[in-house]
Amino acid sequence: MSQGSGNTPPKRPLTLRDVSEASGVSEMTVSRVLRNRGDVSEATRAKVLEAARELGYVPNKIAGALASSRVNLVAVIIPSMSNMVFPEVMTGINDVLEGTELQAVVGITNYKPEREETVLYQMLSWRPSGVIIAGLEHTEAAKAMMGAAGIPIVEIMDTDGEAIDSAVGISHRRAGRKMAQAIIDAGYKRIGFLGTKMPLDHRARKRFEGFTEVLAKSGLEISDSEFYSGGSALKKGREMTEAILKRNVEEPLDFLYYSNDMIGAGGLMYCLDNGIDVPGDIGLAGFNGIEFLDGLPRKLATMDACRLEIGRAAAEIIAKRVESDGSAGGEIITLEPSLEIGDTLKRKKKPV
Amino acid sequence: MSQGSGNTPPKRPLTLRDVSEASGVSEMTVSRVLRNRGDVSEATRAKVLEAARELGYVPNKIAGALASSRVNLVAVIIPSMSNMVFPEVMTGINDVLEGTELQAVVGITNYKPEREETVLYQMLSWRPSGVIIAGLEHTEAAKAMMGAAGIPIVEIMDTDGEAIDSAVGISHRRAGRKMAQAIIDAGYKRIGFLGTKMPLDHRARKRFEGFTEVLAKSGLEISDSEFYSGGSALKKGREMTEAILKRNVEEPLDFLYYSNDMIGAGGLMYCLDNGIDVPGDIGLAGFNGIEFLDGLPRKLATMDACRLEIGRAAAEIIAKRVESDGSAGGEIITLEPSLEIGDTLKRKKKPV
DNA sequence: CTGAAAGCGCTAACAA
DNA sequence: TTGTTAGCGCTTTCAG
């Protein structure tokens, strides 16, 4: 029962002192019991636990944190929650943190640098034990804050650039290059690109750069492109695919590279619905390796972004450093994005 | 610049006192400036702001919260982040909270009551301004904690039951009934049910109960059912659909009711791939109204769970109560789930 | 408009 | 094994 089962429950939140009085044990010892710290006799321990339970006492971490300057929070700052990639990163982070005292606190930036700065400031003001933040690009002020925070900072997703402290991710340039090479090797030549209207999505930009760079080396370039924003990605994928194909009937495209799997899946459906031979007439590829591709009629070629693994590794870096009391310096972990050929990136029937 | 541009940066975090000394203004006045509280002359204000910026000072909310017993955190406790429904609820919550001082902090329970209890306890120990928690079913201890917390508690998603304080959601029983009625009205008779192996998903259970209840009134019952857990829901939807259809060739099923849209979409794809006439031979329906259904070859019938709206309304209840200083009692908001007929729940060609 | 004093509820450090 | 004494960094309150 809570708040003294029977008495009029006092509306003031319970304190350690209340438990101390109810159990006849000093506040300090109560505190020890509640934190499993130091040696306490089994008898006192039982008395205290009983009193705390009986009262319905919930410790005040605010006070505890102030007194001990220890805060078991990890700030996680990500651009969005709505595109399937970050929830999976979160899952990886939580998997690891569940085994520790640490708790993730999430802030969303909507891909806006100023918003990121604000969110970071807010979170740092809670003096978390560490920060996990998406991307390597931040405002000067944000970088300064992180540099001065004196806690482990892990920048995730991307390793193409300078990290403040630690980083875990893949090289998106490399991912773009690798996909371009696979497409070229399969004999495709007239390549269309379909992506999001997101000048601030640096990772998509880097993939694009790597992609075009390799094409250029083979004397190729993007034949046409199409961008979208908002709405159901699957539907947009369909619409964009229709648009780009209809626009290029004279010299038809033979490959479409999508900046994410969801629009890629939409494109795949469009092609299947319209009797277009995939990958004979046209090849397709997306990016991310999201699980639901598994249920499509054909498996879309994609490149795994290692989301779960990134979350795990980032959380581990924080956990390790917290445990080791802040010693140990920054580490950079570059994961290798693996190409998944699927059914939509096979050599054309008649390579030119 | 941070930490005194040029000097060796002190590794101790900056305090108000540092800003006070750097600006020659009392701590109290510095505090006023930084919080935009009370009247401060423009001159002092400028001096303080300058000093704070120059030092790279980030306030310590732990100390602030302890002193003022005001914490701008809202605890949000949900079962999962990985099935598209809760991220959308989160979006609704954030939409509203962005316009306030409040910040959401998320905890994940994985549909486990004990885990929910732990997470709740952890979060309450930060003395948040409010709690938004999924569902009406909680352990006794969890209910006691929430009852005694003295802050607004909003239970979301479901309104079939007793709320501790406030609630926002739909009646899942009603959603189940409504779908059953629509299916019966369309003339379907041999109905299969496909769902998740989740004894603790009370909302799915309630939908199922409402569903079978209405069937019973028409002298019908579920002809067969199939359950899954884990893995790609889209793929599982395919597999389960194949299994249930192959199991019932003698007396074929003419309708499949899925407990969520993702497996429903998988089922739809299976049918289309195998030349099964939807909704002629067989009708299909899911649950949730997730946006991505828009891109499928046929639009799956579903029932909108009002996720965004639930998030918004819940956040508004908290915001309003925090603003009104805790007065105003609990309120229950029951949203109406709307049936979306789509292309897969039309009357059969030849109603029996 | 500005400042001084007194805690908020807990824990570190030391003493018994 | 248990208790005592000081704060943690800020805000409240009240006095200039």
Side-chain angles (χ1 to χ4, degrees):
Chain A
M1 292 298 93
S2 64
Q3 298 263 18
S5 49
N7 312 341
T8 310
K11 241 19 223 174
R12 167 184 60 78
L14 270 354
T15 70
L16 254 193
R17 164 173 243 113
D18 295 310
V19 181
S20 166
E21 283 168 1
S23 62
V25 176
S26 79
E27 283 186 48
M28 197 51 234
T29 301
V30 171
S31 169
R32 286 189 183 104
V33 172
L34 264 20
R35 287 177 300 146
N36 296 310
R37 271 294 211 307
D39 294 318
V40 180
S41 75
E42 204 32 70
T44 356
R45 164 177 219 76
K47 252 194 303 186
V48 169
L49 253 19
E50 164 64 11
R53 212 187 40 67
E54 161 81 13
L55 292 169
Y57 172 69
V58 177
N60 184 333
K61 284 212 186 183
I62 309 262
L66 182 59
S68 66
S69 15
R70 234 183 283 287
V71 180
N72 70 338
L73 263 23
V74 176
V76 180
I77 301 176
I78 55 182
S80 157
M81 206 72 203
S82 57
N83 60 5
M84 202 119 252
V85 6
F86 290 105
E88 204 164 334
V89 174
M90 286 307 308
T91 301
I93 292 175
N94 281 328
D95 282 356
V96 172
L97 295 190
E98 266 190 35
T100 73
E101 299 282 65
L102 299 169
Q103 254 286 328
V105 181
V106 187
I108 308 289
T109 69
N110 291 319
Y111 288 99
K112 296 191 199 113
E114 332 79 60
R115 180 85 197 140
E116 178 181 88
E117 193 179 309
T118 311
V119 169
L120 179 65
Y121 184 83
Q122 298 290 337
M123 303 210 125
L124 285 183
S125 72
W126 285 103
R127 301 283 186 269
S129 292
V131 173
I132 296 177
I133 186 168
L136 294 164
E137 286 76 19
H138 317 285
T139 65
E140 282 308 314
K143 283 188 207 163
M145 280 190 260
M146 291 191 273
I151 54 177
I153 308 284
V154 185
E155 291 167 279
I156 56 171
M157 311 316 287
D158 187 7
T159 55
D160 289 327
E162 281 283 301
I164 295 167
D165 170 9
S166 295
V168 185
I170 62 171
S171 161
H172 286 260
R173 283 225 173 69
R174 180 160 168 70
R177 286 198 208 102
K178 212 166 163 179
M179 183 58 86
Q181 198 57 57
I183 292 169
I184 291 169
D185 290 348
Y188 295 105
K189 298 242 188 287
R190 298 252 322 145
I191 298 162
F193 178 82
L194 300 96
T196 45
K197 270 194 199 94
M198 287 238 129
L200 295 172
D201 184 343
H202 298 283
R203 293 174 292 283
R205 193 201 73 224
K206 289 171 185 174
R207 286 197 300 279
F208 184 73
E209 287 169 4
F211 190 75
T212 52
E213 176 195 320
V214 167
L215 290 193
K217 280 191 186 140
S218 297
L220 292 174
E221 53 182 25
I222 298 285
S223 300
D224 194 2
S225 55
E226 183 80 20
F227 298 88
Y228 82 106
S229 61
S232 159
L234 202 63
K235 188 179 186 186
K236 291 288 180 182
R238 269 179 189 275
E239 295 170 353
M240 291 160 71
T241 304
E242 174 167 25
I244 203 171
L245 291 181
K246 292 205 166 150
R247 202 163 55 219
N248 293 274
V249 280
E250 310 264 300
E251 291 185 88
L253 301 175
D254 63 3
F255 201 93
L256 298 178
Y257 180 38
Y258 296 86
S259 74
N260 70 62
D261 285 340
M262 209 63 173
I263 55 175
L268 173 59
M269 295 214 199
Y270 174 81
C271 291
L272 296 181
D273 283 0
N274 290 276
I276 298 169
D277 175 12
V278 178
D281 291 339
I282 194 162
L284 305 176
F287 178 80
N288 261 337
I290 60 176
E291 167 189 77
F292 103 124
L293 293 186
D294 259 355
L296 296 179
R298 303 270 165 95
K299 189 145 175 11
L300 183 70
T302 190
M303 188 153 285
D304 182 35
C306 313
R307 300 175 304 289
L308 204 70
E309 191 45 38
I310 287 176
R312 287 225 180 86
E316 255 150 24
I317 291 179
I318 304 273
K320 203 188 311 164
R321 276 233 250 156
V322 167
E323 212 173 348
S324 76
D325 208 35
S327 64
E331 60 186 294
I332 309 290
I333 301 181
T334 304
L335 271 23
E336 181 65 21
S338 66
L339 177 65
E340 297 170 15
I341 289 286
D343 308 315
T344 66
L345 169 42
K346 301 250 164 86
R347 186 170 291 281
K348 294 170 73 170
K349 292 167 190 164
K350 26 173 179 165
V352 189
Chain B
M1 294 295 92
S2 63
Q3 299 263 21
S5 49
N7 311 342
T8 310
K11 242 14 224 177
R12 166 185 60 79
L14 271 354
T15 69
L16 255 193
R17 162 172 246 113
D18 295 309
V19 181
S20 165
E21 282 168 2
S23 61
V25 176
S26 80
E27 281 187 50
M28 197 50 238
T29 300
V30 170
S31 168
R32 285 192 183 101
V33 171
L34 264 22
R35 287 176 301 145
N36 296 309
R37 270 296 211 305
D39 294 318
V40 180
S41 74
E42 204 32 68
T44 356
R45 165 177 218 75
K47 253 193 304 188
V48 170
L49 254 19
E50 165 64 13
R53 213 187 39 68
E54 162 79 13
L55 292 170
Y57 172 69
V58 176
N60 184 332
K61 284 213 187 185
I62 309 262
L66 182 60
S68 66
S69 20
R70 234 182 284 287
V71 180
N72 69 339
L73 263 24
V74 176
V76 179
I77 301 176
I78 56 182
S80 157
M81 206 70 202
S82 57
N83 61 6
M84 203 121 252
V85 7
F86 290 105
E88 204 164 333
V89 173
M90 285 308 307
T91 302
I93 293 175
N94 281 328
D95 282 356
V96 171
L97 295 190
E98 267 190 34
T100 72
E101 300 282 65
L102 299 168
Q103 255 285 329
V105 182
V106 188
I108 307 289
T109 69
N110 291 319
Y111 287 97
K112 296 191 198 111
E114 333 78 61
R115 182 82 196 142
E116 179 181 86
E117 193 178 310
T118 312
V119 170
L120 179 66
Y121 184 82
Q122 297 291 336
M123 302 211 128
L124 285 182
S125 73
W126 286 102
R127 300 284 186 268
S129 292
V131 173
I132 296 177
I133 186 167
L136 293 165
E137 286 75 20
H138 316 287
T139 66
E140 282 307 313
K143 284 189 207 166
M145 279 191 258
M146 290 191 272
I151 54 176
I153 308 286
V154 184
E155 292 168 277
I156 56 170
M157 309 315 287
D158 188 6
T159 55
D160 289 326
E162 281 282 300
I164 294 168
D165 170 7
S166 295
V168 185
I170 62 171
S171 161
H172 285 260
R173 283 225 173 71
R174 179 161 168 70
R177 287 198 208 104
K178 213 166 160 178
M179 184 58 87
Q181 198 57 58
I183 293 169
I184 292 170
D185 290 348
Y188 295 105
K189 298 240 188 287
R190 299 253 322 146
I191 299 162
F193 179 82
L194 301 98
T196 46
K197 269 195 199 92
M198 286 236 128
L200 295 171
D201 184 342
H202 299 282
R203 294 176 290 284
R205 195 202 71 223
K206 289 171 185 175
R207 285 198 300 279
F208 184 74
E209 287 168 3
F211 189 75
T212 52
E213 176 196 321
V214 166
L215 290 192
K217 279 191 187 142
S218 297
L220 293 174
E221 50 182 28
I222 299 286
S223 302
D224 195 4
S225 55
E226 183 82 21
F227 298 87
Y228 82 106
S229 62
S232 160
L234 201 63
K235 188 178 187 189
K236 292 289 180 181
R238 268 179 189 277
E239 295 170 353
M240 290 160 72
T241 304
E242 175 167 24
I244 203 171
L245 291 181
K246 293 204 166 152
R247 203 163 53 218
N248 293 272
V249 279
E250 310 264 301
E251 293 185 85
L253 301 176
D254 64 2
F255 201 92
L256 298 178
Y257 180 38
Y258 296 86
S259 75
N260 71 61
D261 285 340
M262 209 64 171
I263 55 174
L268 174 59
M269 295 213 199
Y270 174 81
C271 292
L272 296 180
D273 283 1
N274 290 277
I276 298 171
D277 176 10
V278 177
D281 291 339
I282 195 162
L284 305 175
F287 177 80
N288 262 339
I290 61 177
E291 167 188 78
F292 105 122
L293 293 185
D294 260 355
L296 297 178
R298 300 270 164 97
K299 189 144 176 10
L300 183 69
T302 191
M303 189 154 286
D304 182 36
C306 312
R307 301 175 304 289
L308 205 70
E309 191 47 36
I310 287 175
R312 288 224 181 86
E316 255 149 24
I317 290 179
I318 304 273
K320 202 189 309 166
R321 277 233 250 159
V322 167
E323 212 174 347
S324 75
D325 209 33
S327 64
E331 60 186 296
I332 309 291
I333 301 180
T334 305
L335 270 24
E336 180 66 21
S338 65
L339 176 66
E340 296 171 15
I341 290 287
D343 308 316
T344 66
L345 169 42
K346 301 251 165 88
R347 186 170 290 279
K348 295 171 73 171
K349 291 167 190 165
K350 24 174 180 167
V352 190

